[in-house]
Amino acid sequence: MTSTSSDFQFVTFSLGEEVFAVPVTVVREILDYEDTFKIPHSPEYLLGLRDVRGQGVPIIDLRLRLGMSRSVRTPHTRVLVLDIPFPSRTLAVGLVADKVFEVTPFSRDQMEAAPDIGVHWNCDYIASVVRREGDFVVIIDLAKLFSDEESALARQSGKPVQAA
């Protein structure tokens, strides 16, 4: 598939049967899953810290953060290490994914808003939805998903959040 200048590149991954994506520009690296250093009294979705090239990076069970069931480790389980930009800083965080697929382009005209289901539901973390091969890919708005936790994660990691 060739990409055009109007395409945006995303890393696609699964949580269970669902496919999600994050912009490739925020993905620092993709690692095999390893156990983490547990942090007492942390939120359930914060699995702990992992050393990533000399930096303590908080590892998040994205399934729990999104209200899904807890991740189950398999040979395909990976950690996407992300640098999430905020107005005054960048938050380093690792997200546990059941499986990472590929880097793929999506054009702006493929992206749709989160669906309106007629009642209020927390869809703030959905930047957009893309139809692909008879299914959907949910593009996550990482800044909205982690804006409330930004300061807490930085404090728990024991390192200051790096300036952008």
Side-chain angles (χ1 to χ4, degrees):
M1 171 184 277
T2 59
S3 63
T4 66
S5 60
S6 65
D7 289 344
F8 300 95
Q9 300 289 319
F10 292 90
V11 174
T12 57
F13 59 94
S14 69
L15 300 175
E17 298 298 315
E18 312 310 323
V19 179
F20 294 86
V22 294
V24 73
T25 56
V26 301
V27 179
R28 183 190 316 170
E29 57 190 304
I30 300 169
L31 304 172
D32 290 337
Y33 183 87
E34 292 179 2
D35 289 332
T36 60
F37 175 82
K38 306 294 185 241
I39 301 173
H41 308 293
S42 61
E44 185 178 12
Y45 59 83
L46 177 58
L47 299 177
L49 292 178
R50 177 172 174 182
D51 179 48
V52 177
R53 304 189 193 287
Q55 179 185 15
V57 174
I59 304 299
I60 304 295
D61 185 332
L62 187 56
R63 292 172 61 104
L64 288 177
R65 182 66 182 98
L66 296 178
M68 301 169 77
S69 62
R70 179 177 295 283
S71 291
V72 176
R73 184 177 177 178
T74 72
H76 301 290
T77 304
R78 299 290 180 265
V79 174
L80 288 94
V81 179
L82 309 178
D83 291 318
I84 304 169
F86 286 90
S88 63
R89 58 187 75 202
T90 299
L91 175 67
V93 65
L95 300 181
V96 176
D98 294 340
K99 186 175 187 179
V100 175
F101 296 118
E102 63 186 344
V103 173
T104 188
F106 295 130
S107 64
R108 187 176 304 277
D109 62 340
Q110 288 180 282
M111 299 178 196
E112 304 172 14
D116 180 2
I117 61 170
V119 296
H120 178 73
W121 64 297
N122 187 5
C123 63
D124 291 344
Y125 70 88
I126 299 176
S128 57
V129 177
V130 175
R131 294 174 198 255
R132 183 174 79 161
E133 300 168 11
D135 216 344
F136 294 94
V137 176
V138 174
I139 299 174
I140 299 174
D141 186 328
L142 295 164
K144 286 185 181 175
L145 183 65
F146 290 108
S147 62
D148 294 340
E149 284 81 15
E150 176 189 10
S151 296
L153 287 174
R155 282 192 305 274
Q156 295 201 354
S157 71
K159 287 198 164 219
V161 178
Q162 298 177 6

